Amino acid sequence: MIVTGQGPARKLQSAPSLARVSVACLRGESSHVVCAKLTAVRLDFWFDLSCPYAYLASQRLGEVLSGRPVDLRYRPMLLGGVFREIGAGDGPMATLSDAKRANLARDLARWAAVAGVPLETPAAHPMRTVRALRTLLGLPEPSWPAATHALFAAYWQRGEDITQDEVIAAALTGAGVPATAVRRRHHAG
């Protein structure tokens, strides 16, 4: 629904047809007149490095968006902070029963297989990602995609402890982030 106007004159308008056409345009499945005018769609990818579903999504972004007019913006966030703000304590992982934890592991393995990406849940999962995210935020924004993929790989592909400065630095320098930028961030963080 789209809200138009102000005050009592506000109207709710249904816009599912435009949304469907826009999605079809992005997928290359429509030659609708709107497609010719669709220049770019902004997509904000909100993520925390400790979220396995964000990791899985990050591994498919390039493939799914390839050749489409999408302005992709990486938006790091602290999921633990969100959990605490909404009264969920340390998040759902802290209170899962053994059966639910096993089901989650199966679900993640299935999605990783569908996506064709490696997935290794670290023994210390979930880890505090604040230091890695602060380091990421201190880097120039154009380096965020490569840096994000490197940090996700350290966490979810190699099961490394990204709370450690050495692990963060190794992941980022391996992704082409200059070591001087990484060291500067560690000393500032």
Side-chain angles (χ1 to χ4, degrees):
M1 300 299 269
I2 297 175
V3 179
T4 60
Q6 295 179 351
R10 290 171 44 158
K11 295 180 185 176
L12 290 177
Q13 297 177 350
S14 179
S17 60
L18 179 58
R20 278 195 300 274
V21 169
S22 296
V23 169
C25 292
L26 289 173
R27 290 182 178 156
E29 300 169 353
S30 176
S31 60
H32 193 279
V33 69
V34 171
C35 294
K37 295 180 180 182
L38 185 63
T39 55
V41 172
R42 179 174 159 180
L43 175 63
D44 288 333
F45 175 54
W46 291 91
F47 65 93
D48 186 315
L49 297 167
S50 69
C51 178
Y53 293 102
Y55 158 70
L56 293 171
S58 76
Q59 300 302 292
R60 298 289 311 275
L61 284 174
E63 176 189 338
V64 171
L65 300 179
S66 178
R68 292 176 172 82
V70 176
D71 176 19
L72 177 61
R73 310 267 175 104
Y74 283 72
R75 299 292 183 230
M77 61 176 280
L78 283 172
L79 195 52
V82 173
F83 290 143
R84 282 186 290 287
E85 183 64 28
I86 64 171
D90 290 329
M93 294 300 294
T95 59
L96 285 181
S97 67
D98 290 340
K100 283 188 179 183
R101 192 176 305 278
N103 187 56
L104 175 63
R106 284 190 302 273
D107 186 55
L108 289 170
R110 282 191 299 263
W111 279 112
V114 166
V117 299
L119 177 72
E120 179 182 327
T121 302
H125 176 68
M127 290 182 231
R128 289 179 46 90
T129 57
V130 66
R131 190 160 192 86
L133 290 171
R134 282 183 182 157
T135 302
L136 176 65
L137 286 167
L139 299 173
E141 196 166 340
S143 68
W144 287 7
T148 300
H149 287 286
L151 291 167
F152 268 134
Y155 194 116
W156 290 106
Q157 293 176 13
R158 299 186 299 276
E160 296 174 354
D161 184 354
I162 64 166
T163 67
Q164 302 299 311
D165 288 344
E166 307 78 41
V167 173
I168 296 168
L172 294 177
T173 55
V177 176
T180 54
V182 175
R183 278 194 299 276
R184 221 177 12 254
R185 287 310 312 145
H186 284 311
H187 294 303

